[in-house]
Amino acid sequence: MLGLMMHRPLLVSSLIQHADRHHGSTPVVSRNAEGTLYRGTWHTVHERSRRLAHALQGLGVAPGDRIGTLAWNNHRHLEAYYAISGMGAVCHTINPRLFPEQIAGIIQHAGDSVLLLDPMFLPLLESLAPQLSAVRHVIVMGEAGVPLPPSPLPLLAYEALLDVASSDYVWPEMDELTAAALCYTSGTTGKPKGVLYSHRSTLLHAWAVSLPDSLSFSARDAVLPVVPLFHANAWGFPYAAALTGAKLVLPGPLLDGAHLYQLLESEKVTLTAGVPTVWNNLMQYLQAEGRQLHYLQRLGVGGAACPKTILSYFEDVQKVTVLPGWGMTETSPVAALTQPKARQANLQGQARRDWLARSGRALFGVDMEIVDDQGQPLPHDGRTCGHLQVQGHWVCDGYYKEPASPLQQGWFPTGDVAVIDGEGFMQITDRAKDMIKSGGEWISSIELEQVTAGHPAILEAAVIGVQHPHWGERPFLMAVKKSGQEVTAGELRGYLEQRIAKWWVPDEIVFVDSLPHTATGKLNKAALRAQRGL
Ligand code: ADP
């Protein structure tokens, strides 16, 4: 017997409709590349996204078409998110920090027929013009009244299109399994692959990240995603903010410590999220200038393990609750968050800092398991390392235009190695490709980097495995010193010897001026290995 309840498909358009209808006057603030603030509301986002949907329809965009975006976190990009998915097309966010050749390859692979981009990316796209013959229109999301430059690309001005488009667009009803968005993995460990989110997966994920034991969004919050809209849907911020009616603050491309601090304060931001590199920069700025954050309550950190120095600085000095999380493009991305259960709620000092090193416990809607090389489940004892696998409502089932399924017995293999403790808290020990096998035993590069970054003179550290005739592999450590700070390799070795097993201490320690980062701001171990001819 079937239940007798209404069936409403879970559609992205319902988010913006709700935000307009019930939180229409709540601000959506956006900063452009020049630092100027635009002040809209959920009502204006809805109104302008409907105009854009009309304009795209006028350009021949049909359901299922892939529409690419190359843009920072700004209100036009947000409008594009809602217009494209809402009309049944697929919003393909492209990471502008990828190599130009990768960008061209991704646009071709996705088959994007229209591109929307920030004006600053025009030279980049023009350099790729010969490879973009399938792109019919390029819409420049510039300020109103700014004339378009002569270009080899078929350019149109965003604001001029909106000016003549009507806002009476009615969002179509469609199957909730329809594709809503497409995001390619950033290729940290291989060729970029397209992850195709459905309306249903996007909505369920937005619901899950809004929950109190997740990032906890509410209509009383002002939320600022530092994580880009092109990095796995900005971890659900654009959707969860509409779902809950939170004020949304979009920081544009100015993401250095000074600009970020200024916006967090002036817009009274209560929740933000980003990769550790961003928080390291903000911490350096706050420390150097002796500044205090007055409004920020929660800081989400994910995408890579967060150095303990950063966790303790924001918790102890800035009195901000840090929320480490784990996920990947393939998991929409949020799958696990480090929120305490009753037993961890009152942990203080070192005990809390140690616990915060966890990557998170599973949100309802996803499940996690660790398995051995044969795929057999391993104990959840907080010590046994295994291959992490996940399944759930917002976990990918396959890649766009890739016939082979990535699943293994119904589970998605993450490529990460992790432990899970008796309370269900998971901790990533490494990416499988980054683990170092020395004398038959595993060394966690993340753990070594964490301990090294704890030295007061160290800004950032990276560890890779290098071949060794006797041990198989040995850890090789590269570290960047904080400006004005001194430490020798011998002193650093001494520091490490007091904190980790002797056989974990790297044989070679070198200081470098900077370390390479990926397009999503993570340590680029592939580039480090290539530099050493590995
Ligand atoms: P890419 O694989 O190209 O970096 P993603 O942004 O999808 O693109 O990255 C997902 C990966 O990031 C995970 O598989 C994991 O290795 C790493 N990661 C994410 N969150 C954490 C975390 N909290 N701790 C350690 N590693 C993490």
Side-chain angles (χ1 to χ4, degrees):
M1 195 195 305
L2 295 179
L4 289 172
M5 304 308 282
M6 287 186 192
H7 175 68
R8 308 278 316 273
L10 301 173
L11 299 179
V12 167
S13 54
S14 65
L15 292 170
I16 190 66
Q17 276 174 315
H18 170 83
D20 182 7
R21 195 164 151 75
H22 300 284
H23 306 277
S25 61
T26 299
V28 173
V29 181
S30 169
R31 187 168 62 186
N32 67 15
E34 287 72 46
T36 314
L37 289 186
Y38 163 92
R39 290 191 180 278
T41 60
W42 281 115
H43 172 69
T44 61
V45 174
H46 190 204
E47 206 254 350
R48 285 166 58 85
S49 59
R50 280 189 292 180
R51 282 182 195 274
L52 178 59
H54 250 313
L56 292 173
Q57 203 174 41
L59 294 174
V61 172
D65 285 358
R66 277 78 59 217
I67 310 299
T69 66
L70 263 170
W72 293 108
N73 292 8
N74 59 51
H75 69 99
R76 294 187 183 93
H77 200 179
L78 180 73
E79 292 155 11
Y81 251 60
Y82 281 110
I84 299 167
S85 301
M87 69 190 293
V90 180
C91 182
H92 170 208
T93 52
I94 305 165
N95 185 340
R97 297 179 184 138
L98 292 173
F99 293 120
E101 283 309 312
Q102 272 181 325
I103 293 177
I106 284 175
I107 293 172
Q108 283 167 345
H109 188 268
D112 295 331
S113 56
V114 176
L115 296 174
L116 289 105
L117 80 173
D118 283 352
M120 67 162 73
F121 298 124
L122 206 43
L124 166 70
L125 205 67
E126 284 176 350
S127 71
L128 304 172
Q131 297 165 71
L132 304 180
S133 52
V135 175
R136 289 186 282 113
H137 304 285
V138 174
I139 302 175
V140 183
M141 296 195 286
E143 301 297 331
V146 179
L148 292 173
S151 169
L153 295 167
L155 300 190
L156 293 167
Y158 184 91
E159 291 295 338
L161 281 176
L162 259 59
D163 271 351
V164 295
S166 133
S167 65
D168 62 4
Y169 187 88
V170 179
W171 301 115
E173 282 267 323
M174 55 193 141
D175 188 328
E176 63 185 18
L177 299 177
T178 304
L182 175 65
C183 182
Y184 282 73
T185 58
S186 49
T188 307
T189 56
K191 162 167 107 49
K193 293 191 282 292
V195 181
L196 193 58
Y197 308 102
S198 67
H199 282 260
R200 175 188 159 84
S201 71
T202 305
L203 245 83
L204 292 176
H205 176 261
W207 239 315
V209 296
S210 301
L211 289 171
D213 265 9
S214 192
L215 289 168
S216 182
F217 280 70
S218 87
R220 298 166 301 284
D221 278 310
V223 306
L224 186 156
V226 178
V227 51
L229 269 76
F230 53 75
H231 186 195
N233 310 310
W235 304 354
F237 268 66
Y239 305 120
L243 186 149
T244 54
K247 169 180 170 180
L248 181 61
V249 183
L250 299 165
L254 304 171
L255 300 174
D256 58 279
H259 278 101
L260 213 48
Y261 173 73
Q262 186 265 326
L263 199 59
L264 289 168
E265 288 292 287
S266 67
E267 296 305 321
K268 300 189 168 55
V269 171
T270 54
L271 166 68
T272 184
V275 294
T277 318
V278 171
W279 305 132
N280 199 0
N281 291 343
L282 180 63
M283 178 177 82
Q284 301 304 326
Y285 169 79
L286 297 172
Q287 284 176 330
E289 301 293 321
R291 304 262 185 199
Q292 198 66 33
L293 290 161
H294 296 96
Y295 306 98
L296 193 66
Q297 296 164 6
R298 300 182 303 289
L299 183 146
V301 56
C306 188
K308 287 184 187 159
T309 40
I310 301 179
L311 299 174
S312 13
Y313 173 76
F314 281 102
E315 287 241 323
D316 301 342
V317 181
Q318 294 291 344
K319 309 294 176 206
V320 172
T321 301
V322 179
L323 299 172
W326 174 87
M328 51 199 310
T329 308
E330 287 90 334
T331 63
S332 295
V334 185
L337 264 152
T338 307
Q339 279 273 18
K341 296 182 181 177
R343 261 190 291 275
Q344 295 84 31
N346 297 319
L347 289 177
Q348 302 286 336
Q350 193 58 40
R352 176 165 168 89
R353 283 194 289 279
D354 289 345
W355 171 77
L356 268 181
R358 309 283 190 284
S359 316
R361 59 184 163 93
L363 303 180
F364 170 76
V366 290
D367 198 7
M368 305 188 298
E369 186 54 284
I370 45 170
V371 294
D372 63 17
D373 290 343
Q374 284 70 46
Q376 293 307 309
L378 291 166
H380 295 186
D381 58 10
R383 289 190 313 274
T384 311
C385 279
H387 301 286
L388 180 68
Q389 52 181 27
V390 287
Q391 54 181 206
H393 300 300
W394 50 92
V395 176
C396 92
D397 203 26
Y399 292 104
Y400 185 51
K401 291 188 190 161
E402 297 265 344
S405 168
L407 303 192
Q408 291 170 2
Q409 286 146 11
W411 290 84
F412 179 81
T414 64
D416 286 335
V417 178
V419 296
I420 300 179
D421 69 18
E423 294 265 6
F425 287 96
M426 180 274 291
Q427 185 170 354
I428 302 284
T429 48
D430 239 325
R431 290 196 194 230
K433 289 185 181 170
D434 295 338
M435 298 274 294
I436 300 161
K437 198 163 200 181
S438 177
E441 298 282 347
W442 292 107
I443 296 177
S444 157
S445 67
I446 292 184
E447 179 66 23
L448 257 178
E449 286 156 8
Q450 290 269 18
V451 178
T452 311
H455 189 285
I458 298 298
L459 181 66
E460 199 179 15
V463 176
I464 56 171
V466 292
Q467 287 197 344
H468 188 278
H470 181 63
W471 299 113
E473 269 187 327
R474 290 293 301 151
F476 173 74
L477 169 65
M478 285 152 282
V480 182
K481 290 182 217 169
K482 285 185 188 156
S483 75
Q485 300 273 354
E486 265 318 317
V487 58
T488 64
E491 285 162 355
L492 191 55
R493 182 167 290 111
Y495 174 87
L496 294 175
E497 276 164 359
Q498 286 166 22
R499 288 165 176 80
I500 52 175
K502 203 150 186 279
W503 61 278
W504 276 42
V505 177
D507 303 336
E508 261 190 283
I509 299 179
V510 298
F511 293 105
V512 290
D513 292 338
S514 65
L515 288 165
H517 290 93
T518 67
T520 48
K522 308 180 192 186
L523 277 176
N524 190 341
K525 302 240 177 130
L528 287 172
R529 281 192 278 266
Q531 275 172 17
R532 300 221 11 126
L534 299 170

